Amino acid sequence: MRLRILLVLILIYSQQFYGQSVQNKPLKATYITEEIQLDGELNEKIWSEANKTTNFWQYFPSDTIRAKHQTSVQIAYNETTLFIGIRAEAPNNKYVVTSLKRDFRGSRNDNVTIIFDTFNDGTNAFGFGITPYGVRREFLIASGGANFDNFNFTWDVKWKGESKIYDNYYTAEIAIPFTSLKFEEGTTKWRFRPYRFNLQTNETSTSFQVPQAQILANLAFMNELEFEKPLGKSRTPFTLIPYVNGLTQNDFENNTNETKFLIGGDAKIAIGDGLNLDLTFNPDFSNVEVDNIFTNLTRFELRLPERRQFFIDNSDLFSSFGNFFGEARPFFSRRIGLARDADDDLIQNDIIAGARLSGKLNKDWRLGVLSIQTAADETNEIASNNNSMIAIQRKVGQRSNIGAFIVNRERFKEYSFSEKNDKYNRVFGVDYNLASSDNTWSGRYYLHKSVNPDDSSGNLSAQAMTTYNKNNWIFTNDWAYVDEDFTADLGFVPRTDIFKMGNFVQRFFIPKHSKTVNRHSTSVLFINYFRPNLDFKLSDYFLRARWTTRFTSNAEINVSYTNDYIFLTDDFDPTRKDEGNPLPGDKGYSFSQIQMRFNSNNTNLFTYSLNSTLGQFFNGNRYSFGARLGYRWQPWAQFSVDMNYDGIKLPKPYESADYWLISPRLDVTFNKSVFFTALAQYSNQRDNLGINARLQWRFAPLSDLFLVYNDNYEIDNFGPRFRSINLKMTYWLNL
């Protein structure tokens, strides 16, 4: 009996050791001289000879067993191009592909995605994905892919891919020009990892075992790719992206109309193996998708994502400094191109020109330099400013880094409306970002200081945040400080004069034999905010206890209990009515709420989510209900509608409100080159109905013709506010 037990233990250990060694075994990329016809069929000789990945691990619904439907990936290359061959097994050929439009959402489409860490730093990577229908996506990963904010899906680059569907598997061929990547000359190894969403069986798998408590594309968990022959220079071409735009617009509120013809564009120039120089002249962003609108019941500004292409490459070099939770970021690119007019309204401010130098100096050092000049608008009392930033980052250990920066917003000309203390604003500081090799430990620690002409003492911002993630436990401890006089004109600082202490703990529970439940989790978040200038008076605390259940069908439900305390130093009207009667300041308010949310399986043709918030709100009550309904006619069209109701009931004489937010959206993909999107956004809090319709024709690689229509109406009288129509053409030219 003892001998049998010993043999069993030896067998288990050897299997674990063998499995670990297999997943760490490098994949060899074969150098070829023959041509590959990119048709998705894998019938070239190289695909029968080249090494391939084997034995993918499940990530969902389990993270401890091999995938039921396996995927193989092979890689070959020549002097100019990286070729990838993919075979993905499936129970049938009824795949989920929501759209024919590029840059699909990975978790809602059958696809295989490959990420390449070309500098082997565990910090930055390129991602490329393809569906069974040959639809492609590409994205950038920053900061090790430790959280969802580190993924940038706005990035575009030239590459090709085709797929072929069979009865119980599909194949794909991908060709990525080396000119679309950055890497060191002479390198023979990259870190890489393929992963797959198999939505027919709700199985997610990956070539390297990744715990479910970690993000699937986290760069801590990677395979090695060995090249048979050292790579040459990355040879990124000189790229011109000119545009022409015919625009007509009518401002009904100010009784003005305008028709103009705009010309401008961008240029991309490679500097060495790892640096990009991006130039822009008279940029126009009329083709960028409109932002989603929100009902804002807080005292603070909301931070919206950057979508403009000029700011995308290596954006983390500029935007990742500062507070992890967005409480004090020294640089926020959305500030550039917007300004406050004489009435303190936020309006568009033209950009004259700009330049960005960013990327790798070598395997350990990264550099970012940015300078953008905005135009003067004296009618609206807006000065011309130079907006600049210099950032440098040094790799420390395997995946951590330390960085330093200076941000400067400066006015070089005096105006009749300008003030001395507004001549410039400067912020500088140092950040240390911790990331252990397996991402068990992560964190952010920084110290920043701002300087204005008449304000140079103090003005500090700091944070020390540490996270432990291991064995289905997550612990986070966060300390943050923002001085009352800390100012970042080009940053995002929703409030100052705070000292924050926060703690978070989460525990995952994974049922062993359940066929319906993937996992449960419970978490507690507790945050205290103190006001240093008020003798560290407690100004806010937030307690949230949450239970979440995720099902094997991909559906999810969670229930939360929250308790808030807010000390209002000033009067505040949470309804934000123009003539509202605000709640009195210099008083504390304590209230509790219960939130519930359910998300259905997003791979079904019909999808929905439901949410509700019930409970107290300051000295009254809040009743909120929301829903999102969606249906797709695969893969040609999708229709969805978001609805949200917030009922704020405060005792008289304070304001109550019934706020509705309704947003229907239609996406149609006629083929892989012609797309139509229509979006309406109704908000009675903003007294606005906005309509945006965009027709896009991709007539050449990364070259587009856009027809964009915008219309806005006030709701009370249903009168027009602002209307515009743009016809814009961009052309991507590699020289």
Side-chain angles (χ1 to χ4, degrees), residues 330-445:
F331 181 79
F332 177 45
S333 59
R334 287 289 298 260
R335 295 284 185 227
I336 301 175
L338 294 174
R340 296 281 179 182
D341 64 12
D343 298 322
D344 201 38
D345 293 325
L346 199 62
I347 65 172
Q348 183 175 327
N349 181 211
D350 290 339
I351 295 174
I352 299 172
R356 292 170 75 248
L357 177 67
S358 61
K360 286 274 192 180
L361 295 173
N362 54 44
K363 67 177 182 179
D364 292 327
W365 288 93
R366 298 176 74 207
L367 174 69
V369 180
L370 175 147
S371 181
I372 296 175
Q373 188 71 32
T374 56
D377 183 355
E378 297 191 39
T379 302
N380 289 299
E381 298 187 4
I382 297 172
S384 175
N385 283 283
N386 178 261
N387 311 274
S388 58
M389 181 175 183
I390 300 174
I392 191 163
Q393 189 181 87
R394 173 70 159 86
K395 181 182 175 183
V396 179
Q398 290 187 318
R399 300 179 61 242
S400 303
N401 62 72
I402 187 169
F405 73 93
I406 181 169
V407 178
N408 184 59
R409 192 277 308 155
E410 187 156 1
R411 185 185 72 240
F412 295 114
K413 179 182 176 182
E414 296 301 322
Y415 300 87
S416 60
F417 53 82
S418 60
E419 299 179 6
K420 180 182 177 181
N421 196 47
D422 191 48
K423 181 175 175 60
Y424 64 80
N425 168 249
R426 292 166 189 154
V427 187
F428 56 91
V430 177
D431 289 46
Y432 173 66
N433 297 300
L434 168 68
S436 64
S437 59
D438 61 354
N439 212 54
T440 296
W441 292 97
S442 61
R444 175 167 297 184
Y445 315 89

Side-chain angles (χ1 to χ4, degrees), residues 328 415 419 569 645-646 713:
Y415 300 87
E419 299 179 6
T569 54
Y645 165 76
D646 284 291
Y713 295 87

Side-chain angles (χ1 to χ4, degrees), residues 151-210:
F151 296 81
N152 196 323
F153 294 95
T154 311
W155 178 61
D156 277 331
V157 72
K158 285 188 175 182
W159 62 289
K160 297 178 180 179
E162 296 292 341
S163 298
K164 182 78 172 181
I165 295 176
Y166 299 90
D167 287 341
N168 56 0
Y169 68 95
Y170 68 91
T171 57
E173 288 178 312
I174 290 173
I176 305 172
F178 283 124
T179 55
S180 295
L181 299 166
K182 290 289 186 183
F183 51 87
E184 281 191 305
E185 181 181 2
T187 189
T188 58
K189 286 185 179 181
W190 289 355
R191 298 171 79 242
F192 94 112
R193 179 161 55 85
Y195 60 88
R196 177 187 174 193
F197 288 92
N198 181 4
L199 301 188
Q200 298 179 67
T201 58
N202 281 321
E203 181 181 63
T204 306
S205 57
T206 176
S207 61
F208 195 106
Q209 193 173 14
V210 180

